[in-house]
Amino acid sequence: MMNRILSGDGPKSWILAVVLLIILISLAFAPFLFPGSRSLETAARICVFIVLVASYDLLLGYGGIVSFAHTMFFGMGAYGVAIAMDRMGTSYSALALGILVGAVAAGVLALLTALLSLRVRAIFFAMITLAVASAFAVLVSQLSGFTGGEDGMNIRIPRELTPAFRPLDERVLGQRISGKLINYYVVFFGCLILFLLMLRIVNSPFGRVLLAIRENAFRAEAIGYRVVYYRAMATCLSAVIAALAGSIFAIWLRYVGPSTTLGMEIMLDILLIVVIGGMGTMYGAVVGTAIFVLAQNYLKSLMGGMSEATSALPLIPDLLSPDRWLLWLGVLFILSVYFFPTGIVGRLRGTR
């Protein structure tokens, strides 16, 4: 049964299986295991970014396509929900329409970009996607009457998904049931379904052809596969899933802005997570995202505590100052690349 759910692509390492099980249980029961708004925000961000990073790995790790426009598709899904809710009011029909329009628009734009530029070499395609993403970000900023510009848009979602909704007066496992808790499980199960869908895609004949194209495009074309067609389909699938992740993120955050969905910093984070977790494996997105998001959210606080604990020592408190958390995040990244050149999951699978 579990083998069918995972599309025959198991962890292949007992260490990796334990790590993935811990992450799954932690995310599934996050509201009860880690009470508090900050921990719930972190768990929801991990869920969304697992899908976002995995969709990019579908493009890079399986298709061998380097793109810098992935956050554009992520933003299209988020803005689709925001604009639909703003224009049509707070209803589930507007929410569904916004999700659908964002996903379709992302797929169409990805198809056009792919058909116009996939015949060029990889680095030139990457530059074209970067130009398209930059143009889209400028367009979003300029159309302030429609998109909110640099200030972004606040989203009004149905009351059943807000903290004001309290279906039960009693606590369950010490946690009060509210609309925010329901919203979190919408995020969790939505992301889980999308991840399992991508696991099915990469382990299908289509995914095997993508791997063949990544390894040797000329040989794949010589035996009869239309390389441009398969790469265009991979680009569209990746864009649609990224847009759906953006829609889920917008529903959770209840705000959409250029800095939260379209920023180049997010694209860099995606690239770092793919490298840390391991390219060409969906599980790399899970492990890499969990490590990276936790480091982003808690490394600064951890360093603050360590700095206070070592205050009596010379030099060490300055090195562990919370203001230098980005330095240590960079050190962690360098160490992960040095000791895990194929990513954490690649290393674990190679030494099962």
Side-chain angles (χ1 to χ4, degrees):
M1 180 64 180
M2 185 58 65
N3 191 53
R4 292 185 62 184
I5 293 175
L6 297 178
S7 303
D9 187 8
K12 301 177 184 176
S13 163
W14 71 268
I15 300 176
L16 179 59
V18 170
V19 171
L20 292 174
L21 186 62
I22 291 172
I23 294 173
L24 177 62
I25 292 173
S26 299
L27 293 177
F29 299 99
F32 307 100
L33 294 175
F34 313 105
S37 58
R38 185 183 181 185
S39 59
L40 199 61
E41 292 285 344
T42 303
R45 182 175 289 270
I46 290 174
C47 291
V48 172
F49 270 75
I50 284 174
V51 175
L52 181 60
V53 173
S55 66
Y56 186 71
D57 194 37
L58 173 64
L59 196 64
L60 177 64
Y62 287 87
I65 303 169
V66 181
S67 171
F68 293 119
H70 212 60
T71 51
M72 176 180 69
F73 305 125
F74 184 62
M76 290 179 76
Y79 273 101
V81 169
I83 294 172
M85 301 297 282
D86 182 62
R87 302 289 172 171
M88 299 177 60
T90 306
S91 65
Y92 289 104
S93 59
L95 188 62
L97 181 62
I99 295 172
L100 179 63
V101 170
V104 171
V108 171
L109 184 57
L111 180 62
L112 292 175
T113 305
L115 292 178
L116 290 174
S117 55
L118 267 177
R119 294 184 183 275
V120 301
R121 292 181 181 272
I123 187 62
F124 297 106
F125 175 75
M127 292 299 101
I128 290 171
T129 59
L130 179 61
V132 173
S134 300
F136 183 80
V138 171
L139 185 64
V140 168
S141 298
Q142 294 297 321
L143 298 176
S144 56
F146 197 61
T147 64
E150 293 293 335
D151 295 329
M153 302 176 67
N154 291 312
I155 304 174
R156 293 172 296 174
I157 60 176
R159 186 174 179 273
E160 290 78 11
L161 300 177
T162 63
F165 181 66
R166 298 287 178 86
L168 296 175
D169 294 329
E170 299 82 9
R171 291 179 179 268
V172 177
L173 299 177
Q175 181 71 27
R176 187 177 297 278
I177 305 301
S178 66
K180 188 171 184 178
L181 186 67
I182 297 172
N183 196 349
Y184 173 77
Y185 279 106
V186 168
V187 172
F188 173 76
F189 285 110
C191 292
L192 181 62
I193 291 170
L194 289 174
F195 180 80
L196 293 177
L197 174 63
M198 283 186 284
L199 206 59
R200 176 66 268 174
I201 290 172
V202 299
N203 288 286
S204 68
F206 175 79
R208 299 306 180 192
V209 175
L210 282 182
L211 287 175
I213 293 172
R214 182 196 69 185
E215 295 300 324
N216 195 319
F218 294 106
R219 185 176 296 174
E221 193 162 14
I223 61 177
Y225 292 109
R226 299 172 62 185
V227 172
V228 173
Y229 168 78
Y230 278 93
R231 282 181 168 172
M233 287 299 298
T235 305
C236 291
L237 285 171
S238 176
V240 169
I241 294 172
L244 292 174
S247 298
I248 294 172
F249 192 53
I251 295 169
W252 170 257
L253 205 60
R254 291 189 290 169
Y255 169 80
V256 174
S259 61
T260 60
T261 56
L262 298 174
M264 193 61 192
E265 297 83 2
I266 301 175
M267 189 69 242
L268 294 176
D269 289 347
I270 294 171
L271 288 169
L272 291 176
I273 294 170
V274 169
V275 173
I276 292 170
M279 288 189 293
T281 166
M282 291 286 109
Y283 298 120
V286 179
V287 177
T289 300
I291 293 173
F292 191 83
V293 174
L294 287 173
Q296 272 190 328
N297 285 273
Y298 293 104
L299 183 59
K300 190 174 182 179
S301 302
L302 179 63
M303 288 179 61
M306 293 173 64
S307 179
E308 291 180 4
T310 58
S311 58
L313 300 175
L315 188 61
I316 294 179
D318 292 332
L319 289 175
L320 296 177
S321 172
D323 296 333
R324 293 184 172 85
W325 74 277
L326 276 174
L327 169 66
W328 290 104
L329 185 62
V331 170
L332 289 175
F333 173 70
I334 293 170
L335 291 175
S336 67
V337 172
Y338 181 79
F339 289 104
F340 305 99
T342 57
I344 295 173
V345 172
R347 180 65 179 271
L348 292 177
R349 280 185 160 182
T351 57
R352 54 180 178 172

